[in-house]
Amino acid sequence: MDSEPGVTVVIPCRDEADALPGVLSAIPVDYRVIVVDNGSTDDTAAVARAAGATVVTESTPGYGSAVHAGVDAARTELVAVLDGDGSHDPRELPRLVAEFAPGVDMVVGRRRAVPGALPLHARIGNWAFAFRLRRRYGLKVHDIAAMRVTRRDRLQALGHLHARSGYPLALLTGAARAGWLVLERDITYRPRTHGESKVSGSWLGTVRAARDFWSVR
């Protein structure tokens, strides 16, 4: 599988028209951007196009489905994934990209949340699943890779991992089984700039995500 030099940032989105301008304006100018519209009912796609991003439409609902569509559309050697709600700072991506020495397959962000950014129930769930990854798979991570940079060819070789919220955990599990070298580095995690999180914004969203996580083997 041939890849072009460079970095593509994949942003899976559903109804993030208000937050996207700030996110897209902070992405380094030499990175390509793909926004995956996953069933938005607002102007997410139009806002992305106006900012110069490539828009991919994915009709199958779910975070994993959106990520897979974006990665399939990318052509660069490295693919970064981050949320479109403003909780991640795209200006930290070059620091993760700089870690790609020979042999490194993926660099994941360990969220260092500012006060109020990550609810207690989300912290507990994140800790539990990261502990499982360390104990069961020997993967030295402390977060569920909400923001990450991966070699595209290695990622594609894992195939389709999970259609919904379990995707980040399935990715780390697949990486461990494939013998990847995964590095973890601190990143900033902020409150989303608009709206409410579809996962950590409520107990119901967290329970649904946890159910998806537990489905990962």
Side-chain angles (χ1 to χ4, degrees), residues 105-124:
D105 299 298
M106 179 164 66
V107 182
V108 299
R110 180 181 184 180
R111 289 172 291 183
R112 296 300 190 178
V114 303
L118 199 60
L120 177 61
H121 55 275
R123 290 175 183 268
I124 293 171

mmCIF file with all atom_site columns, all heavy atoms in Angstrom, residues 105-124:
data_model
loop_
_atom_site.group_PDB
_atom_site.id
_atom_site.type_symbol
_atom_site.label_atom_id
_atom_site.label_alt_id
_atom_site.label_comp_id
_atom_site.label_asym_id
_atom_site.label_entity_id
_atom_site.label_seq_id
_atom_site.pdbx_PDB_ins_code
_atom_site.Cartn_x
_atom_site.Cartn_y
_atom_site.Cartn_z
_atom_site.occupancy
_atom_site.B_iso_or_equiv
_atom_site.pdbx_formal_charge
_atom_site.auth_seq_id
_atom_site.auth_comp_id
_atom_site.auth_asym_id
_atom_site.auth_atom_id
_atom_site.pdbx_PDB_model_num
ATOM 1   N N   . ASP A 1 105 ? 5.055   2.673  15.896 1.00 0.00 ? 105 ASP A N   1
ATOM 2   C CA  . ASP A 1 105 ? 3.849   2.454  15.094 1.00 0.00 ? 105 ASP A CA  1
ATOM 3   C C   . ASP A 1 105 ? 2.727   3.438  15.422 1.00 0.00 ? 105 ASP A C   1
ATOM 4   O O   . ASP A 1 105 ? 1.944   3.796  14.545 1.00 0.00 ? 105 ASP A O   1
ATOM 5   C CB  . ASP A 1 105 ? 3.327   1.027  15.325 1.00 0.00 ? 105 ASP A CB  1
ATOM 6   C CG  . ASP A 1 105 ? 4.334   -0.019 14.907 1.00 0.00 ? 105 ASP A CG  1
ATOM 7   O OD1 . ASP A 1 105 ? 4.669   -0.057 13.710 1.00 0.00 ? 105 ASP A OD1 1
ATOM 8   O OD2 . ASP A 1 105 ? 4.791   -0.784 15.771 1.00 0.00 ? 105 ASP A OD2 1
ATOM 9   N N   . MET A 1 106 ? 2.637   3.856  16.691 1.00 0.00 ? 106 MET A N   1
ATOM 10  C CA  . MET A 1 106 ? 1.552   4.759  17.078 1.00 0.00 ? 106 MET A CA  1
ATOM 11  C C   . MET A 1 106 ? 1.974   5.568  18.300 1.00 0.00 ? 106 MET A C   1
ATOM 12  O O   . MET A 1 106 ? 2.662   5.059  19.188 1.00 0.00 ? 106 MET A O   1
ATOM 13  C CB  . MET A 1 106 ? 0.272   3.956  17.383 1.00 0.00 ? 106 MET A CB  1
ATOM 14  C CG  . MET A 1 106 ? -0.907  4.815  17.817 1.00 0.00 ? 106 MET A CG  1
ATOM 15  S SD  . MET A 1 106 ? -2.498  3.920  17.721 1.00 0.00 ? 106 MET A SD  1
ATOM 16  C CE  . MET A 1 106 ? -2.254  2.650  18.980 1.00 0.00 ? 106 MET A CE  1
ATOM 17  N N   . VAL A 1 107 ? 1.549   6.821  18.313 1.00 0.00 ? 107 VAL A N   1
ATOM 18  C CA  . VAL A 1 107 ? 1.749   7.685  19.475 1.00 0.00 ? 107 VAL A CA  1
ATOM 19  C C   . VAL A 1 107 ? 0.370   8.136  19.929 1.00 0.00 ? 107 VAL A C   1
ATOM 20  O O   . VAL A 1 107 ? -0.405  8.687  19.141 1.00 0.00 ? 107 VAL A O   1
ATOM 21  C CB  . VAL A 1 107 ? 2.636   8.900  19.148 1.00 0.00 ? 107 VAL A CB  1
ATOM 22  C CG1 . VAL A 1 107 ? 2.850   9.747  20.399 1.00 0.00 ? 107 VAL A CG1 1
ATOM 23  C CG2 . VAL A 1 107 ? 3.971   8.458  18.571 1.00 0.00 ? 107 VAL A CG2 1
ATOM 24  N N   . VAL A 1 108 ? 0.063   7.879  21.203 1.00 0.00 ? 108 VAL A N   1
ATOM 25  C CA  . VAL A 1 108 ? -1.259  8.204  21.734 1.00 0.00 ? 108 VAL A CA  1
ATOM 26  C C   . VAL A 1 108 ? -1.144  9.275  22.807 1.00 0.00 ? 108 VAL A C   1
ATOM 27  O O   . VAL A 1 108 ? -0.117  9.397  23.473 1.00 0.00 ? 108 VAL A O   1
ATOM 28  C CB  . VAL A 1 108 ? -1.956  6.951  22.312 1.00 0.00 ? 108 VAL A CB  1
ATOM 29  C CG1 . VAL A 1 108 ? -2.140  5.901  21.227 1.00 0.00 ? 108 VAL A CG1 1
ATOM 30  C CG2 . VAL A 1 108 ? -1.170  6.357  23.481 1.00 0.00 ? 108 VAL A CG2 1
ATOM 31  N N   . GLY A 1 109 ? -2.205  10.056 22.945 1.00 0.00 ? 109 GLY A N   1
ATOM 32  C CA  . GLY A 1 109 ? -2.231  11.111 23.930 1.00 0.00 ? 109 GLY A CA  1
ATOM 33  C C   . GLY A 1 109 ? -2.819  10.638 25.249 1.00 0.00 ? 109 GLY A C   1
ATOM 34  O O   . GLY A 1 109 ? -3.850  9.961  25.281 1.00 0.00 ? 109 GLY A O   1
ATOM 35  N N   . ARG A 1 110 ? -2.135  10.972 26.338 1.00 0.00 ? 110 ARG A N   1
ATOM 36  C CA  . ARG A 1 110 ? -2.681  10.756 27.684 1.00 0.00 ? 110 ARG A CA  1
ATOM 37  C C   . ARG A 1 110 ? -3.268  12.073 28.151 1.00 0.00 ? 110 ARG A C   1
ATOM 38  O O   . ARG A 1 110 ? -2.555  13.045 28.369 1.00 0.00 ? 110 ARG A O   1
ATOM 39  C CB  . ARG A 1 110 ? -1.594  10.286 28.642 1.00 0.00 ? 110 ARG A CB  1
ATOM 40  C CG  . ARG A 1 110 ? -2.119  10.035 30.065 1.00 0.00 ? 110 ARG A CG  1
ATOM 41  C CD  . ARG A 1 110 ? -1.006  9.596  30.994 1.00 0.00 ? 110 ARG A CD  1
ATOM 42  N NE  . ARG A 1 110 ? -1.530  9.266  32.313 1.00 0.00 ? 110 ARG A NE  1
ATOM 43  C CZ  . ARG A 1 110 ? -0.790  8.850  33.348 1.00 0.00 ? 110 ARG A CZ  1
ATOM 44  N NH1 . ARG A 1 110 ? 0.525   8.726  33.191 1.00 0.00 ? 110 ARG A NH1 1
ATOM 45  N NH2 . ARG A 1 110 ? -1.345  8.565  34.513 1.00 0.00 ? 110 ARG A NH2 1
ATOM 46  N N   . ARG A 1 111 ? -4.576  12.102 28.293 1.00 0.00 ? 111 ARG A N   1
ATOM 47  C CA  . ARG A 1 111 ? -5.255  13.352 28.612 1.00 0.00 ? 111 ARG A CA  1
ATOM 48  C C   . ARG A 1 111 ? -4.919  13.858 30.010 1.00 0.00 ? 111 ARG A C   1
ATOM 49  O O   . ARG A 1 111 ? -5.101  13.145 30.992 1.00 0.00 ? 111 ARG A O   1
ATOM 50  C CB  . ARG A 1 111 ? -6.767  13.174 28.475 1.00 0.00 ? 111 ARG A CB  1
ATOM 51  C CG  . ARG A 1 111 ? -7.239  13.024 27.051 1.00 0.00 ? 111 ARG A CG  1
ATOM 52  C CD  . ARG A 1 111 ? -8.705  12.651 26.978 1.00 0.00 ? 111 ARG A CD  1
ATOM 53  N NE  . ARG A 1 111 ? -8.927  11.283 27.465 1.00 0.00 ? 111 ARG A NE  1
ATOM 54  C CZ  . ARG A 1 111 ? -10.101 10.667 27.473 1.00 0.00 ? 111 ARG A CZ  1
ATOM 55  N NH1 . ARG A 1 111 ? -11.175 11.303 27.035 1.00 0.00 ? 111 ARG A NH1 1
ATOM 56  N NH2 . ARG A 1 111 ? -10.212 9.436  27.914 1.00 0.00 ? 111 ARG A NH2 1
ATOM 57  N N   . ARG A 1 112 ? -4.456  15.069 30.079 1.00 0.00 ? 112 ARG A N   1
ATOM 58  C CA  . ARG A 1 112 ? -4.266  15.783 31.340 1.00 0.00 ? 112 ARG A CA  1
ATOM 59  C C   . ARG A 1 112 ? -5.353  16.856 31.389 1.00 0.00 ? 112 ARG A C   1
ATOM 60  O O   . ARG A 1 112 ? -5.229  17.929 30.809 1.00 0.00 ? 112 ARG A O   1
ATOM 61  C CB  . ARG A 1 112 ? -2.873  16.394 31.398 1.00 0.00 ? 112 ARG A CB  1
ATOM 62  C CG  . ARG A 1 112 ? -1.751  15.372 31.397 1.00 0.00 ? 112 ARG A CG  1
ATOM 63  C CD  . ARG A 1 112 ? -1.828  14.424 32.592 1.00 0.00 ? 112 ARG A CD  1
ATOM 64  N NE  . ARG A 1 112 ? -0.632  13.603 32.730 1.00 0.00 ? 112 ARG A NE  1
ATOM 65  C CZ  . ARG A 1 112 ? -0.426  12.729 33.698 1.00 0.00 ? 112 ARG A CZ  1
ATOM 66  N NH1 . ARG A 1 112 ? -1.387  12.537 34.615 1.00 0.00 ? 112 ARG A NH1 1
ATOM 67  N NH2 . ARG A 1 112 ? 0.682   12.026 33.761 1.00 0.00 ? 112 ARG A NH2 1
ATOM 68  N N   . ALA A 1 113 ? -6.439  16.518 32.038 1.00 0.00 ? 113 ALA A N   1
ATOM 69  C CA  . ALA A 1 113 ? -7.644  17.347 31.967 1.00 0.00 ? 113 ALA A CA  1
ATOM 70  C C   . ALA A 1 113 ? -7.545  18.586 32.843 1.00 0.00 ? 113 ALA A C   1
ATOM 71  O O   . ALA A 1 113 ? -7.095  18.523 33.995 1.00 0.00 ? 113 ALA A O   1
ATOM 72  C CB  . ALA A 1 113 ? -8.864  16.526 32.374 1.00 0.00 ? 113 ALA A CB  1
ATOM 73  N N   . VAL A 1 114 ? -7.969  19.718 32.292 1.00 0.00 ? 114 VAL A N   1
ATOM 74  C CA  . VAL A 1 114 ? -8.120  20.916 33.106 1.00 0.00 ? 114 VAL A CA  1
ATOM 75  C C   . VAL A 1 114 ? -9.350  20.715 33.991 1.00 0.00 ? 114 VAL A C   1
ATOM 76  O O   . VAL A 1 114 ? -10.215 19.871 33.685 1.00 0.00 ? 114 VAL A O   1
ATOM 77  C CB  . VAL A 1 114 ? -8.269  22.167 32.223 1.00 0.00 ? 114 VAL A CB  1
ATOM 78  C CG1 . VAL A 1 114 ? -7.086  22.303 31.283 1.00 0.00 ? 114 VAL A CG1 1
ATOM 79  C CG2 . VAL A 1 114 ? -9.575  22.128 31.425 1.00 0.00 ? 114 VAL A CG2 1
ATOM 80  N N   . PRO A 1 115 ? -9.468  21.434 35.100 1.00 0.00 ? 115 PRO A N   1
ATOM 81  C CA  . PRO A 1 115 ? -10.604 21.229 36.000 1.00 0.00 ? 115 PRO A CA  1
ATOM 82  C C   . PRO A 1 115 ? -11.945 21.329 35.277 1.00 0.00 ? 115 PRO A C   1
ATOM 83  O O   . PRO A 1 115 ? -12.187 22.263 34.511 1.00 0.00 ? 115 PRO A O   1
ATOM 84  C CB  . PRO A 1 115 ? -10.432 22.353 37.022 1.00 0.00 ? 115 PRO A CB  1
ATOM 85  C CG  . PRO A 1 115 ? -8.951  22.599 37.063 1.00 0.00 ? 115 PRO A CG  1
ATOM 86  C CD  . PRO A 1 115 ? -8.505  22.415 35.643 1.00 0.00 ? 115 PRO A CD  1
ATOM 87  N N   . GLY A 1 116 ? -12.797 20.326 35.509 1.00 0.00 ? 116 GLY A N   1
ATOM 88  C CA  . GLY A 1 116 ? -14.135 20.323 34.941 1.00 0.00 ? 116 GLY A CA  1
ATOM 89  C C   . GLY A 1 116 ? -14.242 19.731 33.553 1.00 0.00 ? 116 GLY A C   1
ATOM 90  O O   . GLY A 1 116 ? -15.345 19.603 33.019 1.00 0.00 ? 116 GLY A O   1
ATOM 91  N N   . ALA A 1 117 ? -13.112 19.339 32.967 1.00 0.00 ? 117 ALA A N   1
ATOM 92  C CA  . ALA A 1 117 ? -13.160 18.847 31.592 1.00 0.00 ? 117 ALA A CA  1
ATOM 93  C C   . ALA A 1 117 ? -13.602 17.396 31.487 1.00 0.00 ? 117 ALA A C   1
ATOM 94  O O   . ALA A 1 117 ? -14.231 17.007 30.504 1.00 0.00 ? 117 ALA A O   1
ATOM 95  C CB  . ALA A 1 117 ? -11.789 19.013 30.931 1.00 0.00 ? 117 ALA A CB  1
ATOM 96  N N   . LEU A 1 118 ? -13.282 16.579 32.488 1.00 0.00 ? 118 LEU A N   1
ATOM 97  C CA  . LEU A 1 118 ? -13.570 15.152 32.418 1.00 0.00 ? 118 LEU A CA  1
ATOM 98  C C   . LEU A 1 118 ? -14.321 14.736 33.681 1.00 0.00 ? 118 LEU A C   1
ATOM 99  O O   . LEU A 1 118 ? -13.751 14.698 34.766 1.00 0.00 ? 118 LEU A O   1
ATOM 100 C CB  . LEU A 1 118 ? -12.273 14.346 32.286 1.00 0.00 ? 118 LEU A CB  1
ATOM 101 C CG  . LEU A 1 118 ? -12.371 12.919 31.752 1.00 0.00 ? 118 LEU A CG  1
ATOM 102 C CD1 . LEU A 1 118 ? -12.970 12.919 30.344 1.00 0.00 ? 118 LEU A CD1 1
ATOM 103 C CD2 . LEU A 1 118 ? -11.009 12.260 31.743 1.00 0.00 ? 118 LEU A CD2 1
ATOM 104 N N   . PRO A 1 119 ? -15.625 14.399 33.560 1.00 0.00 ? 119 PRO A N   1
ATOM 105 C CA  . PRO A 1 119 ? -16.425 14.034 34.731 1.00 0.00 ? 119 PRO A CA  1
ATOM 106 C C   . PRO A 1 119 ? -15.863 12.815 35.455 1.00 0.00 ? 119 PRO A C   1
ATOM 107 O O   . PRO A 1 119 ? -15.150 11.996 34.870 1.00 0.00 ? 119 PRO A O   1
ATOM 108 C CB  . PRO A 1 119 ? -17.804 13.726 34.132 1.00 0.00 ? 119 PRO A CB  1
ATOM 109 C CG  . PRO A 1 119 ? -17.822 14.407 32.807 1.00 0.00 ? 119 PRO A CG  1
ATOM 110 C CD  . PRO A 1 119 ? -16.406 14.380 32.316 1.00 0.00 ? 119 PRO A CD  1
ATOM 111 N N   . LEU A 1 120 ? -16.231 12.684 36.722 1.00 0.00 ? 120 LEU A N   1
ATOM 112 C CA  . LEU A 1 120 ? -15.712 11.598 37.546 1.00 0.00 ? 120 LEU A CA  1
ATOM 113 C C   . LEU A 1 120 ? -16.017 10.232 36.951 1.00 0.00 ? 120 LEU A C   1
ATOM 114 O O   . LEU A 1 120 ? -15.156 9.346  36.919 1.00 0.00 ? 120 LEU A O   1
ATOM 115 C CB  . LEU A 1 120 ? -16.288 11.696 38.965 1.00 0.00 ? 120 LEU A CB  1
ATOM 116 C CG  . LEU A 1 120 ? -15.879 10.580 39.928 1.00 0.00 ? 120 LEU A CG  1
ATOM 117 C CD1 . LEU A 1 120 ? -14.361 10.561 40.121 1.00 0.00 ? 120 LEU A CD1 1
ATOM 118 C CD2 . LEU A 1 120 ? -16.599 10.747 41.267 1.00 0.00 ? 120 LEU A CD2 1
ATOM 119 N N   . HIS A 1 121 ? -17.270 10.040 36.456 1.00 0.00 ? 121 HIS A N   1
ATOM 120 C CA  . HIS A 1 121 ? -17.612 8.720  35.935 1.00 0.00 ? 121 HIS A CA  1
ATOM 121 C C   . HIS A 1 121 ? -16.781 8.371  34.696 1.00 0.00 ? 121 HIS A C   1
ATOM 122 O O   . HIS A 1 121 ? -16.444 7.207  34.473 1.00 0.00 ? 121 HIS A O   1
ATOM 123 C CB  . HIS A 1 121 ? -19.109 8.626  35.615 1.00 0.00 ? 121 HIS A CB  1
ATOM 124 C CG  . HIS A 1 121 ? -19.632 9.678  34.695 1.00 0.00 ? 121 HIS A CG  1
ATOM 125 N ND1 . HIS A 1 121 ? -20.043 10.914 35.142 1.00 0.00 ? 121 HIS A ND1 1
ATOM 126 C CD2 . HIS A 1 121 ? -19.815 9.680  33.357 1.00 0.00 ? 121 HIS A CD2 1
ATOM 127 C CE1 . HIS A 1 121 ? -20.473 11.625 34.111 1.00 0.00 ? 121 HIS A CE1 1
ATOM 128 N NE2 . HIS A 1 121 ? -20.341 10.901 33.019 1.00 0.00 ? 121 HIS A NE2 1
ATOM 129 N N   . ALA A 1 122 ? -16.421 9.386  33.912 1.00 0.00 ? 122 ALA A N   1
ATOM 130 C CA  . ALA A 1 122 ? -15.580 9.132  32.747 1.00 0.00 ? 122 ALA A CA  1
ATOM 131 C C   . ALA A 1 122 ? -14.153 8.799  33.177 1.00 0.00 ? 122 ALA A C   1
ATOM 132 O O   . ALA A 1 122 ? -13.497 7.935  32.576 1.00 0.00 ? 122 ALA A O   1
ATOM 133 C CB  . ALA A 1 122 ? -15.584 10.344 31.828 1.00 0.00 ? 122 ALA A CB  1
ATOM 134 N N   . ARG A 1 123 ? -13.670 9.479  34.227 1.00 0.00 ? 123 ARG A N   1
ATOM 135 C CA  . ARG A 1 123 ? -12.329 9.188  34.741 1.00 0.00 ? 123 ARG A CA  1
ATOM 136 C C   . ARG A 1 123 ? -12.236 7.748  35.241 1.00 0.00 ? 123 ARG A C   1
ATOM 137 O O   . ARG A 1 123 ? -11.254 7.040  34.984 1.00 0.00 ? 123 ARG A O   1
ATOM 138 C CB  . ARG A 1 123 ? -11.982 10.149 35.877 1.00 0.00 ? 123 ARG A CB  1
ATOM 139 C CG  . ARG A 1 123 ? -11.747 11.588 35.457 1.00 0.00 ? 123 ARG A CG  1
ATOM 140 C CD  . ARG A 1 123 ? -11.530 12.459 36.695 1.00 0.00 ? 123 ARG A CD  1
ATOM 141 N NE  . ARG A 1 123 ? -11.369 13.842 36.383 1.00 0.00 ? 123 ARG A NE  1
ATOM 142 C CZ  . ARG A 1 123 ? -10.203 14.451 36.164 1.00 0.00 ? 123 ARG A CZ  1
ATOM 143 N NH1 . ARG A 1 123 ? -9.089  13.734 36.223 1.00 0.00 ? 123 ARG A NH1 1
ATOM 144 N NH2 . ARG A 1 123 ? -10.145 15.732 35.879 1.00 0.00 ? 123 ARG A NH2 1
ATOM 145 N N   . ILE A 1 124 ? -13.278 7.324  35.960 1.00 0.00 ? 124 ILE A N   1
ATOM 146 C CA  . ILE A 1 124 ? -13.281 5.966  36.522 1.00 0.00 ? 124 ILE A CA  1
ATOM 147 C C   . ILE A 1 124 ? -13.275 4.923  35.404 1.00 0.00 ? 124 ILE A C   1
ATOM 148 O O   . ILE A 1 124 ? -12.509 3.955  35.435 1.00 0.00 ? 124 ILE A O   1
ATOM 149 C CB  . ILE A 1 124 ? -14.496 5.766  37.443 1.00 0.00 ? 124 ILE A CB  1
ATOM 150 C CG1 . ILE A 1 124 ? -14.351 6.653  38.694 1.00 0.00 ? 124 ILE A CG1 1
ATOM 151 C CG2 . ILE A 1 124 ? -14.638 4.300  37.849 1.00 0.00 ? 124 ILE A CG2 1
ATOM 152 C CD1 . ILE A 1 124 ? -15.589 6.687  39.563 1.00 0.00 ? 124 ILE A CD1 1
#
